[in-house]
Amino acid sequence: MSKLLVDTNLLAYSVDEESAFFERADQLLYHSGYKLFTTSKNIAEYLCAMTRIAGAGALPEVLADVQDFKKSMTILYPDKGSSTIFEELLLKYMPAGKRIHDFEIAAIGLSNGIKEIGTQNVSDFKNINEITVVSL
């Protein structure tokens, strides 16, 4: 079974039934046979994005979404190995600004043997040769 790192946008699309990407996100995440992973950084981004849209009053519902994600995917955390890979990627690709976040997510996945990332934002990861993008 292949491993797939799930980017924040897929988390959001998987709960938004009105999104044009809902069905494809649902298919990719829950019916494609991948063993699913996401990172603590993606969870924090998800919480930020969803409460920015709906306000702090939505936090209990958004946290319930996170509990549901935990049932179907493993949450990965930064560690010494991912920090080393992160630094190597930064020096190799020299990203700046918000792109730094994408490289940290990639590094956490790579340190856990995951070389595929599912995302709608292909441009965020397409130039990182160490991973393959699986898009909606």
Side-chain angles (χ1 to χ4, degrees):
M1 177 179 295
S2 296
K3 297 178 181 179
L4 183 71
L5 190 64
V6 178
D7 195 20
T8 309
N9 56 76
L10 262 76
L11 296 174
Y13 294 140
S14 74
V15 299
D16 181 2
E17 294 182 16
E18 294 185 21
S19 167
F21 302 111
F22 171 76
E23 287 185 30
R24 179 66 178 123
D26 183 71
Q27 175 65 31
L28 183 63
L29 296 181
Y30 303 113
H31 305 287
S32 63
Y34 280 106
K35 183 170 171 84
L36 302 174
F37 299 84
T38 196
T39 72
S40 58
K41 181 168 241 12
N42 294 104
I43 295 297
E45 287 178 354
Y46 177 81
L47 292 165
C48 180
M50 300 307 274
T51 57
R52 184 180 324 121
I53 294 167
L59 189 55
E61 181 181 338
V62 175
L63 285 169
D65 292 341
V66 171
Q67 293 305 313
D68 287 341
F69 297 147
K70 288 180 179 182
K71 293 175 186 172
S72 60
M73 61 188 75
T74 301
I75 299 175
L76 305 173
Y77 297 86
D79 60 18
K80 187 174 182 177
S82 68
S83 293
T84 299
I85 293 171
F86 182 42
E87 290 175 21
E88 291 169 356
L89 291 174
L90 292 177
L91 291 171
K92 179 177 179 180
Y93 293 100
M94 303 295 287
K98 292 182 179 182
R99 296 258 310 132
I100 300 287
H101 295 294
D102 302 327
F103 280 82
E104 183 178 17
I105 290 166
I108 294 168
L110 289 167
S111 73
N112 286 277
I114 303 167
K115 297 184 180 192
E116 291 183 283
I117 184 161
T119 185
Q120 177 59 24
N121 299 336
V122 174
S123 62
D124 289 351
F125 299 95
K126 74 176 181 178
N127 294 326
I128 305 173
N129 296 330
E130 290 78 1
I131 60 173
T132 301
V133 175
V134 177
S135 65
L136 294 182

